[in-house]
Each structure stands twice: as C-alpha cells, then as structure tokens.
Amino acid sequence: MIRLIGYFFGIGTTLALLAAAGVALYIGHVAKDLPDYEVLAKYEPPVTTRIHASDGALMAEYARERRLYLPIQAIPDRVKAAFLSAEDKNFYSHPGVDITGLARAVMTYVSGGPMQGGSTITQQVAKNFLLTNERSLERKVKEAILSFRIEQAYSKDRILELYLNEIFFGFNAYGVAGAALTYFDKSVNELTVAEAAYLASLPKGPANYNPFKHADRAIERRNWVIGQMVENGYVTPEEGAKAKAEPLGVAPRRTGSYLFAGEYFTEEVRRQIIARYGENALYEGGLSIRTTLDPKVQLIARKAMQNGLMKYDTLRGYRGPVKTIDVSGDWGVPLGAVKGLEDVPEWSLAVVLDSSASGLSIGLQPARQASGDIVKERVEGTVSKEDMGFAMRHVVDGKTVKARSPADVLKPGDVIFVQKNDGSDNAYSLRQVPEVAGGLIAMDPHTGRVLAMVGGFSYSQSEFNRATQAMRQPGSSFKPIVYSAALDNGYTPASVIMDGPITIQSGNTTWTPKNYDGTVAGPATLRSGIEKSRNLMTVRLANDMGMKLVVEYAERFGVYDHLAPYLPMALGSGETTVMRMVSAYSIMANGGKSIKPTLIDRIQDRYGKTVFKQDERGCEGCNAPEWKNQPEPELVDNSEQVLDPMTAYQITSMMEGVVQRGTGATIGELGRHIAGKTGTTNDEKDAWFIGYTPNLVVGLYMGYDTPRGLGHGATGGGLAAPIFKDFMRVALDGTPNVDFKVPDGMNLIAINRKTGMRASSGDPGTIIEAFKPGTGPADSYWVIGMGADGSNASGGALSPQANQAIQDGGGGLY
C-alpha cells in the first residue's frame, strides 16, 4: 500500500513539475513579447492647451483629450480615497496583482466563462498604457507580469499618479483634473465627497453612469462608492450619509472660448500657434499661452463697434425675420433648433406669436438643460411699436417701404432677435444683425501689444476677421505716411502747396483727381492739407518729392509689402489691413520706432518652462546677485528707428489739428490730447478713423464685405470717428490727460495759419508750429506745385492696379 502511495505521489509530483514547467515555458513565451514598461518614466499624455488674457482670465482651451496633468501631491486625499475605495482598496499593500481575484478570473475562464475584470490599479495602468483591451487569458497574464515589474520599478504614489491622470471619464475628459472641470466646473481641490465619489464611479463605464441619461444608475453607483469609503474608514458614517443625500449636481463646463467678447482674438492666436508649433502642440502639448488682450478694453471695443454698426444699419430699414417656423403646436421645439448668436449674450431669439398695430407678442427661445435637452417651460414677452420703430421702414425686394403697423412687417411664426429692455420683466426691443461690417484694433504703441481686437459684429455670425484678414483701401488715412515722408525729407508743416486743379498724364491715360467736396482752396500749408484732407495737395506733394520716396516709407512703416509707385497710391488706393495701419500709426505715436504687432506675451510648455517671450529688450544688471549702490538697471530698447523723432512729433501735432478743427472734429469734444486721421475711399465704400494718445492707438473701418457704397456723404468723420470717440470716452475714463512729448531741440514758432510765414505778436490766424533745428518759416512766400504739369514722375506704362486706381480715383478719398 505504501509502495502504491509512493508510486502515485511520484506520478503526481512528475505531473506537477511538468505542469509547472509548462506554465513557466508559457509565461516565458508570453514575457518575451511584453512591451517595455520603462516608457512609463517618460509618460507625456496629451494635455489641454489653455489661452489666457493679460490679467490671467481663461480665454479658451484646446484639446483632443481634455486633460490637465496633476502630480500626486496636488490631488486631495479624499479624491484618492474615492478611487481606491472604488477600484482597489488594497492598492498600497498588494504586490501589483490581487492573487485571489486573478485566480477567480482564471478559473472562470478555464471553465468556459467570460474573462472577468478584477484588475488592480497597477494592472489597469499596465493595460491602459502598454496593452490592448483584448479580453483573453494571454492578455491577462501579460497584464499580471507587467504589474509585478511596474511595482518593482515605481513607487505606489507614482503608479496612482499615472492612473489618475490617464483614465477616461466620458465627455472627452481624461484624468481626474479634466473630469472635475468637465463635470463640475471645479478644480480637484474643490470637489466634495459626493462629487469625488461620482467621478470615481465613472472609470468602470462612463456611458453606463451618464448623469443625464442614467441619473438613477449614476446615483446608485456613487452611493456604493461612498459606502466603500465609509467601510474603509476614509469618511465617517455621518459624512457618508450626508454625501449620499446630495444630488449629482453635475454642471458641465463650457468648451471653446470663455471670454465671449474675444473670439476673433482667440482664433487669431490659435492660428499663430499652429503656424509656429503645429496642430499637435496646440491640441496635445499642454501649452500655457499668456496673451496681450486686456478684457476691459476688449469689452469696450466690442460694444463701441457693435453700437456703431447697428446705428448705421437700422437707418437702412429692417430686412425681415431670421426664418419662419410653425407655431400651431409647441413652438419651443422648432425655435430651440434655430442657431442664435452665442457671443452676443444680450440678444435672444424669439418667435412672433401675434402681431397687431400696437406691437408684437413673442415667445422666447427656451433654455437648454445641461444634457442639451430643451426645458419645457415657455417664456413670453412683448415688443411695442416704439421698440421696433426702425422696422417701420422695411426692405422689400431691395426697396425700402414704409409700414403703418407692426403687423405689416412681421407675422406669427417669424423668428427674430430681441433684446430685453432695461428695468422690464417682459418688454423687449427688436434687433437686427447688421449687414455692414468692420474691424477694430487697439494697440500699445510702445510695445506693439494688441489690447483689443474686433473682427466683426459677431464671430458666431461670421468667423472672417476683418481686423487682420480684410484687405481694404485705407483712403485718406494713408495720407500721414505721405506727409511723414515729406517732413522727413526737408519739408515743414508750414510748407505751402497749391490746392488747385491738376491733371496727371501718363501715356494715353489721364487722371484728374479732385477734393472730396469738389472745391479748391488755393495755396495752403501742409498742416491745412492734412487737417482738411485735401487730395489735390497730397497728389502735388507726392509728385513733387517723387513716389519712390512715398513707396519707401509705406513699406518701411509696414503698410504694404510692395506698393506700386503710382500717384493714385498716395491717396490710399492700395489695399491693406486694419492691423497694418494701426501698426504704422504706432510708429508715429511712439517717436518713430519700428514695432511688431503681437498677440502673445509668453508661451510656456507643460512643465512651466518659457519657450517664447515677446519682449526681446535686454536688461544688463537686472539679475545682479546683490545691491552695491550700482545704477538702477534699464531696459535696452533695440527697436529700429524708422522715422525721425522730430518728424513723428510734427505729424502728430498736425493730426491733433485734424481732431481739433479738421475732419475728425467730433473727437475734439472729448477734451483729450488725441491725434488722428479720417479715411473715406472711392464711392464711400469704406469709412476709416485711426487715432492715438501717447499710450494707445486705435484704428477701425466700416464697410460691406462685398464693397459697395455706404451712401452719399458717408465719410470716415461721420461714421468711423464716432465709434472711435465712443471707445475712447470709456477707455480713457479715469486716466490722466497726457500731452505728446516735444523732442529736445525742437523749435516752437508762431506762424500765420494761411501763409505759413512767421507771425508777429497779435496777428490774427496765428498758430504755434514745430520746426526742426535749422528749419523755420520761409522768409519769402513760395508755393509748391504752382504751374506744375502733373506729369507721371515714374514714367512708363501703368500696371492694371494703378490703371484701375486712376479710373476710379477722381474723388471721394477724404
């Protein structure tokens, strides 16, 4: 018997050894193909890029996977406790694999059942980072082997850190920090026990616990996690009971742009980042981008531009509803499907329910729940006849028709835009998206930092950025470039030019420019020419000094890359952008130094290292280790001097005259030291104004995207200047009224405003003019252009561009 037992024991031992050898061989075979777990040391997951305003306010986020990487030290204990309770309560004690759970999974699989989970956090790290989601025994074995190796190579905290930053939570959120923002619009430090428990319940299956589609199931799973936290001693029974009683409280974070007035600016930054670093860096690189945008200035700019566009547009009548829907049933559903203007939050979409002689009864577009579903409650309001007064002139088949009653303009089912009246519960005013468009830039002239950018009325309506992308004729706002070139090359503000008829002959082409008002003033000073925006004087001046010089300065100022050297170009016939024009005026405002417009102050990578800094000024001594009575360090400005500082002051002084008594006189009502110039293009297609104080340059234009006349008499002084004025009134409020600095050595001499000659004490029509050393008022009366034939200085055939400018440029530039 003993011999038989020994025999069977020997066979059993042999079989066990063979089985062990087989398992060892199998494990050895599987282990040969395992991925390198050391890649975890270099883990760099896709991380959200964030764009901030100059004050740190969040403007936008870009990500393929919404993730913010957090080191384990930055994750609160209650959040870690929630995940440990939900996923792996023995995490800090096991060797990487739960032996009991693994054995149970293997036995179930061997007996014909499905491959079960039961993975530890370490196993999930191995699977998520290094393996596939295949449900097989081989993958499970690989997972276990890798888990043992990971546990030997990394600390428990590092493994938990990898897990909490990698897992998927649904709604494109990855990692616990991204999930906290996505579900609760909070940082992880602000999460309650209930909120942390809900997030911890999601990795098992985000779709199964969707807070909107499966709320009951989500609460049940969350409460189970809370119960585990109590059982494991992380929270007290009282805290657990309180947490279970709370609703889910999910409040999704909005995506895209967060600063509603800065969408055009944000999109411009996005394009620049892609051009500089590529799309992957933007959507996966976790960049932190600090921009130049000033949110307060941006809001002021947006409001001024929108009000100006609306004021012009409403005078042209009402063009009809957005669309028409069926209101015989529940009008909220079809109205909810109409797209509004997300970046004009003051406006709401509404549908006309009834129209009569006294006004309209309207239904407001229903709000949407966090799930995206339309709320069932319906809100109604009214629009009185007085609050839709501009619509009494409505456009029908391209013609403006006068209406007697609101019922003649709108009917039930018409979808319209409305704005709630101040101080009223249910009274609204009719609104209309302007057909006319425009762009505005506000810039710091000393650094080129763009403080505000308005690319149109609404980014939701049109993403085309008219401040940076629209190529438009600047008209007479280009004239200060011409006058700067003259002042820099021997002319003075008191030089006298003939304001009289002139004909330019070039080959078989004849061009006879005119002043905007069709009149001539005879001999006048350069100052008078720019204050009154005289075309004939500008053409004579450009002809006298040569267009090659004008071209040189236009390109030096960055207005154009290449400008054709033909006289019509002196009147702003070449196309450019608002950004370029504002940059050019910044040179005149800052004393003649070249500036490079910038939207970005600094870019940091995911680790906080600065990879780009716009300010390239040097500073010797700024990093001195200690104070030894050395001189205070100074920033070294290495900007190129492209215009004589004295010339810059002269042209500034002349443009102050534009504001005080010229085409921009409406701005003079602000009582501020402001220099600027109006611009009106041929056939009144565009209206411009660009102006500045010593520390702020603002430029804008108004015009249709497909250029057409704005109407007879529509000038830069009448349309664009009031927008500039409205902006400056608010933007400069509370700031000192700083005067422009007179350069050292400049001579201020009293002259006769008309003749440009030295004035005697008490003479009428006297002004103080600025002259460079060695120059002054003329001793004898001399008029530039007297008797000039106006021949084409450049000679030769004209280009098609110049030919078009000559044919269209007879008048209208103002």
Side-chain angles (χ1 to χ4, degrees):
M1 186 67 180
I2 295 175
R3 189 179 299 176
L4 184 63
I5 293 173
Y7 173 75
F8 281 115
F9 178 77
I11 292 175
T13 302
T14 302
L15 291 174
L17 290 172
L18 287 173
V23 171
L25 286 172
Y26 175 73
I27 292 175
H29 169 71
V30 171
K32 283 195 302 184
D33 299 325
L34 287 178
D36 184 5
Y37 64 89
E38 292 183 0
V39 298
L40 298 179
K42 302 175 182 177
Y43 173 59
E44 285 192 353
V47 180
T48 301
T49 287
R50 312 181 90 184
I51 298 177
H52 300 267
S54 61
D55 65 352
L58 181 63
M59 295 174 61
E61 294 178 325
Y62 295 101
R64 294 194 178 102
E65 298 178 1
R66 299 187 67 192
R67 177 191 284 108
L68 297 174
Y69 193 91
L70 284 182
I72 194 66
Q73 296 85 352
I75 301 174
D77 288 341
R78 65 177 170 276
V79 175
K80 289 186 281 189
F83 283 88
L84 292 174
S85 297
E87 296 292 326
D88 189 0
K89 66 179 182 180
N90 297 319
F91 172 71
Y92 277 96
S93 60
H94 64 60
V97 174
D98 183 345
I99 303 298
T100 304
L102 179 61
R104 183 172 58 251
V106 170
M107 292 300 295
T108 302
Y109 180 75
V110 170
S111 62
M115 178 52 63
Q116 296 180 346
S119 297
T120 64
I121 284 176
T122 311
Q123 286 177 276
Q124 292 184 57
V125 167
K127 180 186 72 173
N128 293 338
F129 285 85
L130 304 172
L131 299 172
T132 67
N133 287 321
E134 176 192 2
R135 297 178 70 86
S136 68
L137 178 62
E138 181 175 325
R139 199 270 293 166
K140 203 70 178 175
V141 172
K142 287 182 178 181
E143 184 182 290
I145 297 170
L146 282 171
S147 296
F148 283 123
R149 293 180 178 179
I150 290 170
E151 288 273 351
Q152 292 172 351
Y154 301 102
S155 69
K156 287 286 188 179
D157 280 350
R158 173 59 176 166
I159 296 168
L160 185 59
E161 178 182 302
L162 292 171
Y163 171 77
L164 291 175
N165 281 287
E166 176 65 17
I167 45 179
F168 176 60
F169 287 86
F171 294 117
N172 200 37
Y174 291 79
V176 67
L181 288 171
T182 299
Y183 282 88
F184 299 108
D185 199 11
K186 292 181 177 181
S187 70
V188 289
N189 294 317
E190 298 173 301
L191 293 175
T192 65
V193 170
E195 291 164 347
Y198 174 63
L199 294 183
S201 71
L202 289 170
K204 284 292 185 187
N208 296 331
Y209 306 111
N210 184 297
F212 308 116
K213 296 180 180 179
H214 308 297
D216 292 341
R217 193 186 301 169
I219 291 175
E220 181 182 356
R221 172 68 179 174
R222 180 204 66 178
N223 289 350
W224 178 85
V225 175
I226 294 172
Q228 291 298 301
M229 294 177 73
V230 172
E231 184 177 321
N232 296 329
Y234 292 120
V235 296
T236 66
E238 293 76 20
E239 291 171 330
K242 181 181 178 182
K244 287 181 179 181
E246 293 179 15
L248 281 179
V250 171
R253 182 181 180 85
R254 63 174 295 183
T255 58
S257 178
Y258 295 87
L259 187 67
F260 72 85
E263 291 82 0
Y264 287 105
F265 190 103
T266 303
E267 174 59 18
E268 193 70 21
V269 171
R270 188 190 73 87
R271 283 198 292 262
Q272 288 189 16
I273 295 298
I274 290 176
R276 186 187 295 268
Y277 301 112
E279 283 198 11
N280 285 343
L282 176 69
Y283 291 103
E284 299 180 0
L287 302 175
S288 176
I289 302 162
R290 180 64 67 96
T291 71
T292 60
L293 183 133
D294 184 322
K296 292 180 181 178
V297 177
Q298 178 66 31
L299 286 169
I300 297 167
R302 169 187 172 274
K303 184 175 182 180
M305 195 73 195
Q306 286 186 338
N307 287 346
L309 295 175
M310 286 192 296
K311 181 178 180 181
Y312 172 87
D313 187 72
T314 53
L315 293 174
R316 270 71 193 164
Y318 186 61
R319 293 183 298 279
V322 176
K323 66 179 301 183
T324 302
I325 62 174
D326 182 13
V327 292
S328 59
D330 181 5
W331 48 264
V333 176
L335 182 59
V338 181
K339 188 177 184 299
L341 301 179
E342 295 179 358
D343 57 338
V344 189
E346 303 91 344
W347 290 15
S348 302
L349 278 169
V351 62
V352 177
L353 302 177
D354 184 45
S355 57
S356 64
S358 61
L360 310 173
S361 294
I362 59 172
L364 279 297
Q365 186 179 53
R368 287 187 179 273
Q369 297 174 327
S371 62
D373 297 331
I374 295 173
V375 299
K376 295 181 179 180
E377 182 183 359
R378 301 291 176 256
V379 179
E380 297 184 6
T382 60
V383 178
S384 69
K385 182 178 180 180
E386 292 73 25
D387 288 331
M388 56 178 291
F390 79 95
M392 293 300 100
R393 295 176 67 251
H394 63 120
V395 180
V396 180
D397 297 328
K399 296 182 180 180
T400 303
V401 178
K402 281 192 174 183
R404 296 182 178 179
S405 164
D408 298 333
V409 181
L410 292 165
K411 61 184 184 300
D414 286 341
V415 177
I416 58 177
F417 281 108
V418 295
Q419 182 174 353
K420 195 170 188 178
N421 295 345
D422 291 337
S424 175
D425 291 333
N426 65 345
Y428 293 80
S429 294
L430 181 66
R431 292 289 181 256
Q432 173 175 258
V433 178
E435 195 175 23
V436 70
L440 179 151
I441 291 286
M443 183 181 292
D444 180 334
H446 305 288
T447 62
R449 298 175 72 248
V450 176
L451 306 176
M453 175 188 293
V454 182
F457 180 80
S458 163
Y459 186 79
S460 296
Q461 175 211 11
S462 169
E463 296 180 9
F464 181 64
N465 192 336
R466 295 154 190 85
T468 61
Q469 295 175 303
M471 299 297 294
R472 315 292 292 208
Q473 292 181 336
S476 291
S477 63
F478 178 72
K479 287 176 182 174
I481 312 299
V482 179
Y483 283 73
S484 292
L487 295 170
D488 226 22
N489 289 274
Y491 298 81
T492 76
S495 297
V496 179
I497 303 177
M498 173 58 68
D499 181 16
I502 184 174
T503 297
I504 305 298
Q505 186 75 37
S506 178
N508 297 324
T509 305
T510 299
W511 177 45
T512 303
K514 299 175 183 177
N515 289 323
Y516 180 80
D517 59 6
T519 66
V520 295
T525 62
L526 259 66
R527 171 180 285 278
S528 177
I530 204 166
E531 287 182 357
K532 303 301 180 183
S533 198
R534 309 302 283 181
N535 292 339
L536 297 174
M537 292 176 66
T538 305
V539 171
R540 273 198 170 84
L541 179 63
N543 194 47
D544 187 64
M545 64 179 170
M547 274 302 296
K548 287 185 178 179
L549 190 62
V550 175
V551 168
E552 178 190 334
Y553 275 75
E555 295 175 359
R556 185 190 295 182
F557 276 53
V559 179
Y560 305 103
D561 292 327
H562 303 287
L563 179 66
Y566 305 117
L567 280 172
M569 299 301 173
L571 298 181
S573 294
E575 293 179 340
T576 187
T577 66
V578 177
M579 180 73 88
R580 283 179 174 248
M581 288 300 294
V582 171
S583 300
Y585 273 61
S586 292
I587 293 172
M588 294 179 273
N590 70 22
K593 288 186 177 293
S594 174
I595 63 104
K596 183 179 179 181
T598 179
L599 280 64
I600 300 171
D601 276 336
R602 185 194 67 214
I603 302 173
Q604 292 175 304
D605 64 16
R606 65 171 71 207
Y607 303 109
K609 178 184 177 183
T610 298
V611 294
F612 171 80
K613 187 173 70 170
Q614 176 61 29
D615 192 344
E616 298 176 347
R617 291 176 295 177
C619 183
E620 295 182 8
C622 280
N623 295 321
E626 58 181 316
W627 175 254
K628 293 183 178 179
N629 296 317
Q630 67 264 41
E632 182 178 338
E634 294 183 4
L635 292 173
V636 180
D637 189 351
N638 50 16
S639 302
E640 180 186 1
Q641 193 78 39
V642 296
L643 187 68
D644 187 310
M646 292 188 176
T647 300
Y649 178 78
Q650 287 178 317
I651 192 67
T652 295
S653 175
M654 291 162 68
M655 284 195 285
E656 280 192 278
V658 173
V659 170
Q660 292 166 0
R661 53 189 167 268
T663 55
T666 182
I667 296 164
E669 297 170 8
L670 294 176
R672 291 273 184 168
H673 294 290
I674 296 175
K677 183 69 186 74
T678 55
T680 309
T681 60
N682 292 322
D683 302 321
E684 291 102 351
K685 291 178 180 176
D686 287 335
W688 288 73
F689 191 86
I690 310 172
Y692 54 91
T693 67
N695 297 308
L696 179 63
V697 183
V698 180
L700 66 110
Y701 88 91
M702 178 192 295
Y704 291 99
D705 285 341
T706 302
R708 70 174 192 260
L710 292 166
H712 181 68
T715 65
L719 295 180
I723 297 176
F724 176 94
K725 179 182 176 182
D726 288 346
F727 171 84
M728 284 297 199
R729 177 187 291 112
V730 182
L732 298 179
D733 186 42
T735 64
N737 187 12
V738 181
D739 200 353
F740 296 98
K741 183 180 179 181
V742 182
D744 293 337
M746 191 139 242
N747 300 316
L748 301 179
I749 302 173
I751 66 167
N752 181 279
R753 183 193 304 276
K754 179 69 176 175
T755 66
M757 300 182 71
R758 189 182 295 270
S760 300
S761 178
D763 285 355
T766 298
I767 61 169
I768 301 297
E769 197 60 86
F771 293 90
K772 298 176 184 177
T775 68
D779 295 328
S780 58
Y781 193 56
W782 174 258
V783 181
I784 299 169
M786 185 78 81
D789 61 4
S791 60
N792 176 28
S794 60
L798 294 178
S799 69
Q801 183 187 19
N803 212 23
Q804 181 68 34
I806 284 178
Q807 292 173 14
D808 296 343
L813 291 155
Y814 189 45

